[in-house]
Amino acid sequence: MRPTVHDIAAEAGVSLATVDRVLNNRPGVRAVTRGKVEQAIATLGYVRDVAAANLAKGRGYSLNFILPAGENSFMRGLEAEVRAAKAHLASERTEITIRCVPAFDASALADALAEARRQRPAGVAVVAVDAPEVVRAVEELRQEGIAVVTLVSDLPGSTRDHFAGVDNIAAGRTAGNLMGRFLGDRAGPVAVVAGSMLVRDHRERLEGFQAVMHECFETRLLLPVVEGQDDAALVEKLVGGLIERHPDLAGIYSLGAGNRGLVAALEKAGKAEAVCAIAHELTPHSRAALLSGTIDVLLNQDAGHEIRSAIRVLKAKADGLPVIEAQERIRIDIFLKDNLPNGQA
Amino acid sequence: MRPTVHDIAAEAGVSLATVDRVLNNRPGVRAVTRGKVEQAIATLGYVRDVAAANLAKGRGYSLNFILPAGENSFMRGLEAEVRAAKAHLASERTEITIRCVPAFDASALADALAEARRQRPAGVAVVAVDAPEVVRAVEELRQEGIAVVTLVSDLPGSTRDHFAGVDNIAAGRTAGNLMGRFLGDRAGPVAVVAGSMLVRDHRERLEGFQAVMHECFETRLLLPVVEGQDDAALVEKLVGGLIERHPDLAGIYSLGAGNRGLVAALEKAGKAEAVCAIAHELTPHSRAALLSGTIDVLLNQDAGHEIRSAIRVLKAKADGLPVIEAQERIRIDIFLKDNLPNGQA
DNA sequence: CTGTTAGCGCATTCAA
DNA sequence: TTGAATGCGCTAACAG
């Protein structure tokens, strides 16, 4: 049998309450008494049963998720994952509320954060927009003792407790490495389509991509970045234009959303095979394009992992427990058509 | 407040015990009474608090891990992950014991499984050796109601509850796809070094690799497989021989262990740059070789994920709960030097 | 400063 | 077939 508080109380010759006090290092215990208890804990090898503790505390975690609204497939997938987790966690004293706010709208986001603060949840997870007012809103949450995790898009300069998302510079570098190697000696320039340079993720991916292309494939011509605003129609137009102006186009790196437009443009121009296309995020559309060969590589961040990690971290922070960073690192998945998972997405 | 058993007892006008009976569908309740309770459960939206339930049951999970002994870096990493989980789970009423048995030794493994059965754990995780006596030993565990998951290497034809490992055919295909594309038009044959064709994982990786090479890169010459027995010294000798006999060697796929030998042979022959090398499993050595450029791609299965997944599944099966397969799928990580995680390994 | 007591939400005797 | 009472391991008033 594992030792319990009773065992250590007996061993130390004190009462339960005293044991509890030193366990939760609360004040009001003489140093000697504390010593006896700690001694008993050590010799018996006591480890606290967190489940029982939480039960006694009647502790419940209320968590707030704030996501961008809109049609972005990835974000909707993210929301679906939150709902799935929500259902799953109903039996674990964890309550999740979801709130969607207009995308890329810093003041709307700051308002939503302020409102979340009024509800006094244990923690808030937010897809951040990189703006001063958002930073301020996050500070205020933190000052109330509310844990904050940024999701997918980080908020540097803030005191958020944790970032649950991928290293976008590494993602961009990976795309660059693969693009360079896949093209080999094939001639022709490479184009980059971003969503918006106002978004931090996109800036970082671009930075990583360009760095590797310049370091390792310096002879390859990189076309100026075009911005598709994560909008399929606009992306299609832009890519169509690129193909027209550069008949020898060898590759395209699409680092934002709107992949439907990318795929449409390539296929309409009969360039699905000829152009090496690397894109981000596994969605039903991008998956189909990968299988058909129009897209050659898909870089992905696993939305389910991000959500579950955010929840774990939020709970841990709310309890003042440490987080095992290595375990919470979100990987960059690289999908070829051969290692595509069978499931959803 | 979330409804509790008391609430539903009151709502249904029965006692706690009766509620408990229908909750755990135990016999001894009239259909009408049962109906009333179920009604109350539905209207109040009751969900059982599993933590409290486990506390009351005094339930504890005892889990047995059986791993191959020996110097294989990957397996030792796996063991380290089990130990880490063990420490972490001490506070969650879960006790883990580790047992190492000689590698590739079916009868030793069968014996270990039989012994595990005597300890009557809630579940057993095992790196399987594909042999009839192992299948039988697993059956016996299952018949005692002990949950069994295979780890890393599966045991088809057995009634194991789950396999916590990667799809090795897909891994081999992925290696083939990358090899073909990285080589592009470069001339020269491709060699394959396996550990042993007696091991299922290796057979499957080979199968996937060859399939893709034949389907998509049919002009590329594939050399006959050599078997290095996962032994670095032997691998070094074999690879050295391949390089001598094939001065124009373009690529090597090492689908087993012993990567130290692979790297040594390539570097001694001055072929680190010229030959495209794809290998499996991220270890300190393989990581160094990836960074130096001797290895071009590393396919990896995350040992930490596999262990944690095995534990979750074992617990769920022991409780007769369903497993969310999608959440327990172990991915094939593809590492280039640009997306290597900073942490351990 | 320290001890007593009464639950948290559920499962499980033992009676009725 | 049903109910009352007790306890799992821990925390939290409230006394002393």
Side-chain angles (χ1 to χ4, degrees):
Chain A
M1 261 332 257
R2 248 177 53 184
T4 75
V5 275
H6 291 91
D7 300 323
I8 104 125
E11 172 83 10
V14 298
S15 76
L16 285 188
T18 301
V19 173
D20 185 68
R21 286 186 186 101
V22 351
L23 239 36
N24 300 293
N25 48 7
R26 269 188 287 257
V29 185
R30 270 188 315 174
V32 269
T33 319
R34 176 175 297 271
K36 282 195 296 189
V37 175
E38 278 165 351
Q39 177 59 36
I41 290 177
T43 62
L44 296 194
Y46 169 82
V47 275
R48 168 221 244 96
D49 183 327
V50 284
N54 282 344
L55 175 57
K57 277 196 279 230
R59 203 201 198 311
Y61 304 85
S62 68
L63 269 26
N64 255 301
F65 276 72
I66 304 179
L67 311 174
E71 292 184 44
N72 185 320
S73 295
F74 176 74
M75 290 303 171
R76 297 289 63 82
L78 202 68
E79 182 180 348
E81 290 291 348
V82 181
R83 293 193 190 287
K86 179 179 167 133
H88 185 67
L89 290 164
S91 60
E92 294 177 33
R93 342 193 100 243
T94 302
E95 202 149 1
I96 294 181
T97 31
I98 305 174
R99 172 88 187 279
C100 290
V101 301
F104 307 126
D105 183 337
S107 72
L109 181 53
D111 289 349
L113 288 166
E115 194 193 311
R117 183 159 57 91
R118 271 168 238 125
Q119 301 176 219
R120 310 199 117 292
V124 172
V126 56
V127 177
V129 172
D130 192 358
E133 51 213 299
V134 178
V135 172
R136 274 195 303 276
V138 167
E139 300 311 307
E140 288 176 1
L141 282 168
R142 298 287 298 107
Q143 274 165 21
E144 304 260 343
I146 298 171
V148 177
V149 168
T150 47
L151 205 55
V152 179
S153 190
D154 198 6
L155 191 57
S158 75
T159 57
R160 89 282 188 285
D161 293 274
H162 179 82
F163 168 53
V166 302
D167 176 343
N168 283 299
I169 295 182
R173 294 187 61 93
T174 303
N177 192 331
L178 288 169
M179 180 67 80
R181 296 199 188 213
F182 278 16
L183 293 183
D185 300 325
R186 207 184 319 165
V190 167
V192 179
V193 183
S196 161
M197 282 302 99
L198 297 175
V199 186
R200 177 162 204 97
D201 325 22
H202 292 196
R203 286 204 306 273
E204 292 184 343
R205 288 174 187 173
L206 177 64
E207 178 186 335
F209 185 78
Q210 290 180 327
V212 167
M213 293 304 282
H214 291 147
E215 286 166 21
C216 310
F217 309 97
E218 64 275 27
T219 60
R220 179 76 52 187
L221 176 65
L222 263 189
L223 265 24
V225 183
V226 299
E227 300 182 42
Q229 305 302 331
D230 285 5
D231 178 76
L234 181 51
V235 169
E236 180 171 354
K237 219 181 82 189
L238 291 169
V239 173
L242 285 166
I243 295 173
E244 260 186 63
R245 287 195 303 283
H246 304 276
D248 62 338
L249 189 70
I252 296 188
Y253 174 38
S254 166
L255 54 76
N259 285 326
R260 265 168 286 194
L262 170 72
V263 171
L266 285 169
E267 292 181 348
K268 282 184 189 160
K271 290 285 193 178
E273 300 279 295
V275 174
C276 175
I278 299 183
H280 276 264
E281 315 313 358
L282 183 63
T283 65
H285 297 94
S286 64
R287 159 189 281 268
L290 186 62
L291 287 172
S292 79
T294 302
I295 289 179
D296 295 80
V297 184
L298 227 33
L299 268 28
N300 185 64
Q301 48 187 322
D302 189 300
H305 283 181
E306 290 177 326
I307 295 300
R308 290 187 288 271
S309 174
I311 293 171
R312 273 196 302 273
V313 172
L314 244 18
K315 284 182 170 183
K317 294 292 184 184
D319 288 339
L321 297 174
V323 168
I324 305 144
E325 286 291 340
Q327 185 176 328
E328 304 301 346
R329 186 183 39 243
I330 308 297
R331 305 195 121 86
I332 301 160
D333 294 326
I334 302 175
F335 289 124
L336 306 177
K337 72 166 130 207
D338 300 294
N339 68 332
L340 222 34
N342 311 306
Q344 71 309 19
Chain B
M1 262 330 258
R2 249 177 52 186
T4 75
V5 276
H6 290 91
D7 300 322
I8 104 125
E11 171 83 11
V14 298
S15 76
L16 284 187
T18 301
V19 173
D20 185 70
R21 289 187 184 99
V22 349
L23 239 35
N24 300 292
N25 48 6
R26 268 188 287 260
V29 185
R30 271 187 314 175
V32 269
T33 318
R34 176 176 298 272
K36 284 194 296 189
V37 175
E38 279 164 350
Q39 177 58 38
I41 290 177
T43 62
L44 296 194
Y46 170 83
V47 275
R48 185 210 304 269
D49 182 326
V50 285
N54 282 345
L55 175 58
K57 278 196 280 232
R59 201 195 200 316
Y61 304 85
S62 68
L63 268 25
N64 253 299
F65 276 72
I66 304 179
L67 310 174
E71 292 184 44
N72 184 319
S73 296
F74 175 74
M75 290 304 171
R76 298 289 63 82
L78 202 67
E79 182 179 348
E81 290 291 348
V82 181
R83 294 193 190 287
K86 179 178 165 135
H88 185 69
L89 290 164
S91 60
E92 294 177 34
R93 342 192 101 243
T94 302
E95 201 150 2
I96 296 181
T97 34
I98 306 174
R99 173 88 188 279
C100 289
V101 301
F104 307 126
D105 183 336
S107 72
L109 181 53
D111 290 348
L113 288 166
E115 194 192 312
R117 183 160 56 91
R118 271 169 237 123
Q119 301 176 219
R120 312 197 117 293
V124 171
V126 56
V127 177
V129 172
D130 192 359
E133 52 213 299
V134 177
V135 172
R136 275 195 302 276
V138 167
E139 300 311 306
E140 288 176 1
L141 283 167
R142 298 288 296 108
Q143 274 165 21
E144 304 259 344
I146 297 171
V148 177
V149 318
T150 47
L151 205 55
V152 179
S153 190
D154 198 6
L155 191 58
S158 75
T159 58
R160 89 283 187 285
D161 293 274
H162 179 82
F163 168 54
V166 301
D167 176 343
N168 283 298
I169 295 182
R173 294 187 62 93
T174 302
N177 192 332
L178 288 170
M179 180 67 81
R181 296 198 187 212
F182 278 16
L183 293 183
D185 300 327
R186 208 184 319 166
V190 168
V192 180
V193 183
S196 160
M197 283 300 101
L198 298 174
V199 186
R200 177 164 204 94
D201 324 20
H202 293 195
R203 286 204 307 275
E204 292 183 342
R205 289 175 187 172
L206 177 63
E207 179 186 336
F209 185 78
Q210 290 180 327
V212 167
M213 293 303 282
H214 292 145
E215 285 166 21
C216 310
F217 308 97
E218 64 273 27
T219 61
R220 180 74 55 186
L221 176 65
L222 263 188
L223 266 23
V225 183
V226 299
E227 300 182 43
Q229 305 301 330
D230 286 4
D231 178 75
L234 181 51
V235 169
E236 179 170 353
K237 219 181 84 190
L238 291 170
V239 173
L242 284 166
I243 295 173
E244 259 187 64
R245 287 194 304 283
H246 305 275
D248 62 338
L249 189 70
I252 296 188
Y253 174 39
S254 167
L255 53 76
N259 286 325
R260 264 169 287 195
L262 170 72
V263 171
L266 285 170
E267 291 181 350
K268 281 182 190 161
K271 290 286 193 178
E273 300 279 296
V275 173
C276 174
I278 299 183
H280 277 264
E281 315 312 359
L282 183 63
T283 65
H285 297 93
S286 65
R287 157 189 281 269
L290 185 63
L291 287 172
S292 78
T294 302
I295 289 179
D296 294 81
V297 185
L298 226 33
L299 267 29
N300 185 65
Q301 48 187 321
D302 189 299
H305 284 181
E306 290 177 325
I307 294 301
R308 290 187 288 270
S309 174
I311 292 171
R312 272 196 303 272
V313 172
L314 244 18
K315 285 182 168 183
K317 294 291 184 183
D319 288 339
L321 297 174
V323 168
I324 306 143
E325 286 291 339
Q327 184 177 329
E328 303 301 345
R329 185 185 38 244
I330 308 297
R331 306 198 120 87
I332 301 159
D333 294 327
I334 301 175
F335 290 126
L336 306 178
K337 73 166 124 197
D338 300 294
N339 68 332
L340 223 34
N342 312 308
Q344 71 309 17

